Amino acid sequence: MTLGSRSHDPDASPEPLDPERILAALSPGARGAIARLEIHTEIDSTNRYLMREAATGASCGTLCLAECQTAGRGRLGRPWISPFGASLYLSMLWRYSAPPAALGGFSLVAGAVVADVLRRIGVEGLALKWPNDLIWGRRKLGGMLLEVAGEARGPSALVVGVGINVRMAPDQGIGIDQPWVDLAEVLGHPTVGRNALAALVADALIDAFQRFGREGLTPFLALWAEFDAFRGESVRILLPDREIRGRVLGIASDGALRLDTADGEMQFHAGEVSLRREAEFGGEGER
Ligand code: BTN
């Protein structure tokens, strides 16, 4: 593997991102699977960057982190506020021989394995909002953005971006348009270091990329269900042009959200779909 260069302001963050520390904390298998590790002081978006790199031939296993993002991206075209040193901004490129359409289920896989990492470091009461929002106490702790490119019949390049609020001062969170929380509040001080967290997340993603390639979504569904925040809840699905009300029945074997509606069971795939609890209407709620 090759190691990208980095530069940083040592006073701006208690623990600057450090490639040596991240690599040292990885399992040997994961370390061997990383083709290149890049840490940027500032970038537009780690996801956007890796999608550009993927288009020009970057290797499977390219991992990119940044201290801040100037154009961080969330799901559904929303911005992801990315102040310096406050959060984990991590993206990883993985290549599959399968077509892009076969990779939709990884949306849930990423949510399940990152939630599991957070539980292992002591986060209690963490919930997943389909497909992969990390929710704690009805506030958003983090989220994932999957982007894919490729040929209709394969191969494809998948970029998984993970954002986790680590220690974000209230003024840094101005502009976030929903209730949010960080690991510092959830775990108490001092919180987990971002290098250790980056290694745990990368380790879990690499293991999941490999297993998903062999076995698909099925082996991850039980883990996802352990964090399911919405099963049995009355919800609204917000589509670009309409809303659909119903009760969440669970997750289908392909990762679709199953909803019991007035017109019978309907299924929705992650994409241009936003999910809200019915109880949130008329009040402020997470998205
Ligand atoms: C969401 O919940 O809306 C998804 C948020 C994903 C944010 C991460 S931060 C690292 C990567 N780069 C981006 O621009 N977005 C993802």
Side-chain angles (χ1 to χ4, degrees):
M1 65 159 292
T2 58
L3 210 58
S5 63
R6 77 193 163 92
S7 62
H8 64 257
D9 173 3
D11 295 322
S13 163
E15 191 201 33
L17 292 169
D18 180 335
E20 280 82 16
R21 291 182 70 172
I22 294 171
L23 289 171
L26 285 169
S27 68
R31 206 177 304 128
I34 292 178
R36 191 167 99 222
L37 168 59
E38 291 189 24
I39 295 182
H40 297 257
T41 303
E42 182 181 295
I43 199 166
D44 53 355
S45 151
T46 53
N47 258 45
R48 186 185 291 180
Y49 173 73
L50 280 191
M51 288 301 286
R52 285 195 300 262
E53 290 292 294
T56 56
S59 300
C60 176
T62 302
L63 176 61
C64 175
L65 290 100
E67 294 285 7
C68 74
Q69 301 183 116
T70 55
R73 302 202 285 196
R75 286 186 64 239
L76 308 173
R78 293 166 174 143
W80 188 255
I81 306 289
S82 306
F84 191 96
S87 304
L88 186 74
Y89 314 116
L90 176 153
S91 297
M92 186 145 199
L93 165 65
W94 206 259
R95 292 189 181 275
Y96 288 99
S97 55
L103 305 182
F106 202 85
S107 213
L108 277 84
V109 174
V113 302
V114 173
D116 189 48
V117 163
L118 294 173
R119 184 168 61 182
R120 281 190 274 127
I121 63 168
V123 175
E124 291 175 11
L126 184 72
L128 276 170
K129 184 172 86 162
W130 181 87
N132 53 29
D133 275 4
L134 299 163
I135 304 292
W136 188 87
R138 302 219 169 169
R139 290 183 283 164
K140 189 147 170 171
L141 179 61
M144 275 144 261
L145 176 66
L146 273 72
E147 297 183 81
V148 63
E151 304 295 324
R153 296 184 172 192
S156 43
L158 172 66
V159 171
V160 176
V162 180
I164 300 173
N165 304 330
V166 175
R167 186 193 296 267
M168 188 142 61
D171 62 319
Q172 291 180 307
I174 290 171
I176 300 180
D177 64 349
Q178 60 184 313
W180 59 270
V181 68
D182 61 13
L183 282 177
E185 181 178 339
V186 171
L187 292 175
H189 298 270
T191 185
V192 63
R194 287 181 305 145
N195 292 302
L197 183 61
L200 287 169
V201 169
D203 231 296
L205 284 180
I206 290 166
D207 190 57
F209 284 135
Q210 293 171 334
R211 190 165 186 203
F212 181 79
R214 292 190 307 267
E215 301 173 54
L217 173 61
T218 306
F220 299 94
L221 286 171
L223 182 62
W224 199 96
E226 289 178 29
F227 297 98
D228 188 350
F230 279 67
R231 196 183 184 111
E233 295 264 350
S234 294
V235 298
R236 287 190 206 181
I237 295 283
L238 310 185
L239 298 169
D241 55 342
R242 65 201 163 111
E243 290 183 8
I244 296 171
R245 297 183 187 201
R247 192 175 57 83
V248 175
L249 296 172
I251 304 299
S253 59
D254 65 351
L257 182 77
R258 299 176 54 220
L259 203 66
D260 183 22
T261 76
D263 298 324
E265 180 173 336
M266 295 176 78
Q267 298 197 356
F268 301 89
H269 291 88
E272 294 303 302
V273 175
S274 191
L275 170 68
R276 299 218 188 159
R277 276 193 178 86
E278 189 65 50
E280 286 167 17
F281 289 86
E284 206 182 356
E286 80 263 10
R287 66 183 178 194

